[in-house]
Amino acid sequence: MTQQKEKFDGLAKGYDLYRPRYPEALFREIYHWLPKDRLLSIIDIGAGTGIAIEGLTNLLGQQHHYTAIDISQDMIEVGKQKLPWVNWLHGSAEQHLSSVGSPDLIIAAQSFQWMDRATVLNLARNSLTDKGVMAILQNNRDYRHNEFINEYENLLEELSPNYSRHYRDFDYVQELNVAFQHEYALHITLNIHWNMMIPGEAFIGMSRSSTQVQRALTAHGEQFIERLKNLVEKYQSDDKLTILYESQLFMVVKQNKHGAEKE
């Protein structure tokens, strides 16, 4: 856990300021499957500064029971400042999921790849209430359809030790299928393509908030930033860049024997 914690400590303020938020359509899909007649228990694992909880509260409001779990105390401190109604727990999902009661929703946003995924999914399956939801969210830079992002990935792969643009290429659908194979469960996948206009300087700031860039800076110093500035200058128009994203939701909804139909 210490190694993972050190990846994110010191990056929290930049992370929260610059990281792209998730499309509302992903949260609307999650919201559709949640009970509407009572207060809910919602657990965000690998919560960072609570970006996913922000998106959820736009639809659900603040009255529910929110718990955020993260291994970085720096992330938690920033999260507490903006989301004081959330119960923040320091540690890993593997440590805390067995003692958080019976949540209605467990969400992992931009964090699931860092976890012991099989263990976390087994804990989620065992702890979720009937008709509970396990949701995995991620924003991926769409390097296949964006020349700037493709060159940015090339730069990271050249200068950030051990980095690969494929570091999140896991079959989450299959992993969810395996974990919930003995449950009556509904499986849902949603992909959304969208673009974000961002000032070039803001993109550089967002880059500095990433662990991959911090490793590049440790290995090569400001050489990385100078090359990134040249790349930004090449592709920006009116001092802005167009960044393409593919946002994904992988979700499973526990069902009773008669609950396989979408209401």
Side-chain angles (χ1 to χ4, degrees):
M1 185 182 81
T2 300
Q3 183 180 8
Q4 291 295 339
K5 176 180 72 69
E6 290 172 349
K7 287 177 181 288
F8 300 102
D9 277 355
L11 304 179
K13 290 183 178 179
Y15 182 99
D16 189 67
L17 177 63
Y18 292 116
R19 286 301 171 103
R21 274 43 182 174
Y22 301 95
E24 185 179 308
L26 302 186
F27 296 115
R28 287 201 303 267
E29 183 65 27
I30 296 170
Y31 172 74
H32 174 84
W33 295 99
L34 295 173
K36 308 298 191 294
D37 58 349
R38 57 183 170 82
L39 292 180
L40 304 174
S41 172
I42 296 166
I43 313 294
D44 186 354
I45 56 176
T49 61
I51 289 173
I53 290 179
E54 287 181 284
L56 282 168
T57 52
N58 289 337
L59 289 174
L60 293 173
Q62 300 176 14
Q63 70 275 18
H64 299 283
H65 304 294
Y66 294 95
T67 299
I69 301 170
D70 202 81
I71 59 175
S72 168
Q73 191 63 44
D74 283 359
M75 292 285 186
I76 290 174
E77 291 305 317
V78 172
K80 283 181 175 179
Q81 291 174 21
K82 65 175 184 172
L83 304 174
W85 64 87
V86 173
N87 176 35
W88 291 86
L89 298 177
H90 183 228
S92 69
E94 296 89 332
Q95 287 176 302
H96 288 295
L97 271 182
S98 60
S99 59
V100 292
S102 299
D104 299 283
L105 169 64
I106 298 173
I107 187 169
Q110 215 75 3
S111 61
F112 196 51
Q113 71 273 5
W114 304 117
M115 301 176 187
D116 180 344
R117 298 189 304 280
T119 297
V120 168
L121 288 177
N122 287 335
L123 289 168
R125 181 195 64 233
N126 293 334
S127 63
L128 281 170
T129 188
D130 185 38
K131 298 189 178 179
V133 176
M134 174 71 201
I136 302 164
L137 277 73
Q138 55 188 26
N139 285 328
N140 296 317
R141 295 185 293 264
D142 190 355
Y143 62 86
R144 294 180 179 87
H145 302 100
N146 187 273
E147 290 185 15
F148 168 71
I149 289 301
N150 185 56
E151 289 203 39
Y152 178 64
E153 295 289 346
N154 289 341
L155 182 62
L156 284 173
E157 288 177 334
E158 178 186 348
L159 296 183
S160 183
N162 303 314
Y163 174 75
S164 167
R165 70 187 67 191
H166 305 293
Y167 74 103
R168 270 202 298 263
D169 287 357
F170 299 106
D171 191 346
Y172 291 151
V173 172
Q174 176 62 17
E175 291 181 17
L176 287 166
N177 284 339
V178 169
F180 287 83
Q181 63 182 318
H182 299 303
E183 301 281 339
Y184 289 93
L186 180 66
H187 295 260
I188 298 163
T189 301
L190 183 61
N191 287 10
I192 296 175
H193 294 265
W194 58 286
N195 63 70
M196 177 177 70
M197 298 291 293
I198 183 172
E201 284 300 315
F203 183 85
I204 293 170
M206 180 170 68
S207 298
R208 284 186 181 273
S209 75
S210 78
T211 57
Q212 297 95 344
V213 169
Q214 289 300 312
R215 286 194 291 267
L217 290 173
T218 298
H220 300 281
E222 289 297 310
Q223 176 191 351
F224 177 87
I225 295 298
E226 289 304 313
R227 290 185 57 180
L228 177 57
K229 287 179 178 178
N230 291 336
L231 193 59
V232 167
E233 183 66 26
K234 176 181 176 181
Y235 282 99
Q236 70 181 357
S237 176
D238 296 325
D239 297 323
K240 290 187 178 181
L241 294 164
T242 300
I243 310 300
L244 269 60
Y245 282 97
E246 180 184 22
S247 295
Q248 298 175 303
L249 168 64
F250 307 95
M251 189 168 72
V252 62
V253 185
K254 289 178 68 173
Q255 302 278 292
N256 58 36
K257 292 183 180 181
H258 306 291
E261 297 296 326
K262 187 172 181 176
E263 297 174 0

